[in-house]
Amino acid sequence: MRSVAEDLTTRARIRDAAIGLFGREGFARATVRSVASLAGVSPALVIHHFGSKAGLRTACDEHVLALTATQGREKTDPGTTRMLIQDYLNHPDEYADEIAYIRRALSDESDAGNAFFDGVVNQTEDIINAGIQAGTIRAFADIRATAVVIASNSLSMLMLGRHLSRVLGAPVSGPHGIGPELLRQLTLPALDVYTNGFYTDSRFLDAAREALQQQESTTEGSMPRDPGNRRRGVA
Amino acid sequence: MRSVAEDLTTRARIRDAAIGLFGREGFARATVRSVASLAGVSPALVIHHFGSKAGLRTACDEHVLALTATQGREKTDPGTTRMLIQDYLNHPDEYADEIAYIRRALSDESDAGNAFFDGVVNQTEDIINAGIQAGTIRAFADIRATAVVIASNSLSMLMLGRHLSRVLGAPVSGPHGIGPELLRQLTLPALDVYTNGFYTDSRFLDAAREALQQQESTTEGSMPRDPGNRRRGVA
DNA sequence: CCAGCGACTGAACAGGTGTTTAGTGTTTGA
DNA sequence: TCAAACACTAAACACCTGTTCAGTCGCTGG
């Protein structure tokens, strides 16, 4: 849920205007002047409060990240998730700016985008582990990689929302294009694939497994196998 | 495969430099001057050849779109697809600029991005139909929506490549971040989900179906059901 | 031979950019 | 009560942007 208190500090008003504008136009195309005029202040005041345009961006990053972190907790509980989704379906516009901003952050490869993606992957991994223990989710060989695949699939709707809506003829709502009608059309097909699979049998999987093993044996040890971020990589 | 003829027209050199720069920096941040210096010419010549920066972008759009259209044909044949993938794995750098450019076009919601996405969805639909007839792919209720889901999932790797590589500790190669090691790590988990599903049974699917039917009956007829682009939407 | 044409450049232009500066009032705290 | 701190602005700054202009070079057809 979301409190709609509109008595914000000027600083906060500028920041929110920037979040909306950065999400809609991108960081490069949104100007300090446009942010200022949207917030109803002078350009100089924007700099006065945030030091520079980059500083404003950092403040936006931190704000959006803090918001999503609060909502991200306890997502392992399916009830909470459902509540969040229903809340979104009832008040799509209130989240629109932040969603669009996150999409931009993920595209621009900013630190905030990195942190957000890491968080989603870690949450997905938690959900998978909980689901395996509850017996609702299959016990995968490489849970981390599976979490990455699932997280990536989920975020594709965020990244490509406008395209999905356009192709399916659903109304393109908000700066991200994800409206209730789009969710209505995609939920069952997506869950169907996740439940019954896409292929009829394991032919493709087996072929890929063999191909990879073959390649593995020919290039043995040539890859320096960086362990990387394979758990808890949040900044 | 790809011919590596480096005796290009100046016009083509400028265009290729622009494709690389637009993909790496984005259209707004890449300047005419930077394109010119990368191509080794004066800024004025860029305008002389393409009329304006927007004209240059249009030329890049058309060029990349033409390239991908050639490669997109006959993807229904699994052999062709495999050849393309292997070709990519052997020469990842040659495609890097175009891949990054397409990623940008999909993000910026340009006409080229729209056309590209529509093409991918239509090809996916063709593949599904062929697979259903061949018995390798399940016969889905809503083939179009399923194609959208699958296409969107596939393109998520393109959109989020850098994040995927970072989280999995795979080397971030090229401006898009998709390297052979990333493919190696994700192929089996992805195919596993597509083959055996993600959930152990149809509990989630059934719950969603019921929830949607319930919602359907309460909001009956309130939605203006635009048929939209539900087939062959390429420009 | 040379007029004409296209590729190409250096310099300039107008407008937009982020940022600074000097200066408003207005609040606050001793 | 007065000075310091604050929120805020108009105007200017230096720089960067896309684009134009005048002009040079080299080639090519008559």
Side-chain angles (χ1 to χ4, degrees):
Chain A
M1 302 292 162
R2 183 67 62 94
S3 64
V4 211
E6 276 306 340
D7 53 347
L8 292 166
T9 332
T10 305
R11 196 189 135 93
R13 255 186 26 243
I14 296 173
R15 188 205 51 217
D16 287 357
I19 289 175
L21 225 45
F22 287 164
R24 254 169 279 148
E25 315 263 347
F27 181 73
R29 269 187 17 193
T31 68
V32 173
R33 282 173 173 82
S34 64
V35 171
S37 99
L38 185 61
V41 299
S42 72
L45 190 63
V46 176
I47 302 296
H48 169 72
H49 275 300
F50 298 94
S52 67
K53 192 188 178 186
L56 174 59
R57 189 213 184 121
T58 308
C60 293
D61 280 354
E62 285 167 1
H63 184 71
V64 171
L65 223 52
L67 280 180
T68 57
T70 343
Q71 285 167 14
R73 301 207 189 300
E74 303 292 341
K75 255 223 196 116
T76 317
D77 172 27
T80 313
T81 310
R82 170 165 312 211
M83 226 184 59
L84 280 174
I85 292 178
Q86 285 211 337
D87 188 32
Y88 170 75
L89 288 178
N90 290 333
H91 317 280
D93 300 343
E94 284 179 37
Y95 300 88
D97 279 353
E98 290 147 28
I99 293 177
Y101 189 91
I102 290 171
R103 190 186 77 98
R104 229 67 198 214
L106 285 173
S107 287
D108 296 356
E109 193 75 10
S110 68
D111 286 350
N114 291 357
F116 181 83
F117 187 82
D118 292 355
V120 171
V121 169
N122 286 336
Q123 276 173 32
T124 306
E125 192 172 359
D126 291 342
I127 293 174
I128 293 178
N129 279 320
I132 291 178
Q133 223 147 19
T136 58
I137 293 176
R138 290 185 43 236
F140 296 98
D142 189 341
I143 293 180
R144 182 68 171 168
T146 306
V148 169
V149 168
I150 300 296
S152 166
N153 286 353
S154 310
L155 288 177
S156 73
M157 194 160 83
L158 174 59
M159 306 302 287
L160 299 168
R162 308 182 78 102
H163 293 288
L164 302 178
S165 292
R166 173 171 43 79
V167 168
L168 288 174
V172 179
S173 68
H176 44 72
I178 304 167
E181 172 66 9
L182 179 67
L183 294 183
R184 214 185 55 72
Q185 287 200 44
L186 287 185
T187 301
L188 289 189
L191 277 180
D192 184 16
V193 168
Y194 276 175
T195 303
N196 302 309
F198 176 71
Y199 299 113
T200 53
D201 55 39
S202 63
R203 246 175 292 181
F204 284 85
L205 177 58
D206 295 337
R209 215 193 305 269
E210 276 178 36
L212 279 177
Q213 275 173 352
Q214 225 167 349
Q215 197 205 346
E216 193 96 341
S217 60
T218 58
T219 62
E220 191 152 9
S222 73
M223 206 68 80
R225 290 299 268 128
D226 177 356
N229 235 7
R230 283 188 74 98
R231 186 55 192 164
R232 309 279 93 162
V234 197
Chain B
M1 300 294 164
R2 182 68 62 93
S3 63
V4 212
E6 278 304 340
D7 53 346
L8 292 166
T9 331
T10 305
R11 195 189 134 95
R13 258 189 20 248
I14 296 173
R15 192 227 311 119
D16 287 356
I19 289 174
L21 225 46
F22 287 163
R24 255 169 278 148
E25 316 263 346
F27 181 72
R29 268 186 15 184
T31 67
V32 173
R33 280 172 174 82
S34 64
V35 170
S37 98
L38 186 61
V41 299
S42 72
L45 189 62
V46 176
I47 303 296
H48 169 73
H49 274 300
F50 299 94
S52 68
K53 192 188 178 186
L56 173 58
R57 188 213 185 119
T58 308
C60 293
D61 281 353
E62 283 167 3
H63 183 72
V64 171
L65 222 52
L67 280 180
T68 57
T70 341
Q71 285 167 14
R73 301 209 188 299
E74 303 294 341
K75 256 225 195 110
T76 316
D77 173 27
T80 314
T81 310
R82 170 166 312 211
M83 227 185 59
L84 279 175
I85 291 178
Q86 284 210 338
D87 188 33
Y88 171 74
L89 287 177
N90 290 334
H91 318 280
D93 300 344
E94 284 179 38
Y95 300 87
D97 280 353
E98 290 147 28
I99 293 178
Y101 189 91
I102 290 170
R103 191 185 76 97
R104 227 71 196 210
L106 286 172
S107 287
D108 297 358
E109 193 76 9
S110 67
D111 285 350
N114 291 358
F116 182 83
F117 187 83
D118 292 355
V120 171
V121 169
N122 285 337
Q123 274 173 31
T124 306
E125 192 173 357
D126 290 343
I127 292 174
I128 292 179
N129 278 320
I132 290 178
Q133 223 147 18
T136 58
I137 292 176
R138 291 184 42 237
F140 296 99
D142 190 340
I143 293 181
R144 182 69 173 167
T146 306
V148 169
V149 168
I150 300 296
S152 161
N153 286 352
S154 310
L155 288 177
S156 74
M157 194 159 83
L158 174 59
M159 306 301 286
L160 299 168
R162 310 182 75 103
H163 294 287
L164 303 178
S165 292
R166 173 171 42 79
V167 168
L168 288 174
V172 180
S173 69
H176 44 72
I178 303 167
E181 172 65 9
L182 179 66
L183 294 183
R184 214 186 53 74
Q185 287 200 46
L186 288 186
T187 301
L188 288 188
L191 276 180
D192 184 16
V193 168
Y194 277 175
T195 303
N196 302 308
F198 177 71
Y199 299 113
T200 52
D201 55 39
S202 63
R203 246 175 293 182
F204 285 85
L205 178 59
D206 296 338
R209 215 192 306 268
E210 277 177 34
L212 279 177
Q213 275 173 352
Q214 223 166 351
Q215 198 206 346
E216 193 97 340
S217 61
T218 58
T219 62
E220 192 152 8
S222 73
M223 205 70 79
R225 290 300 267 130
D226 177 358
N229 235 8
R230 282 187 75 98
R231 187 55 191 163
R232 309 280 92 161
V234 197

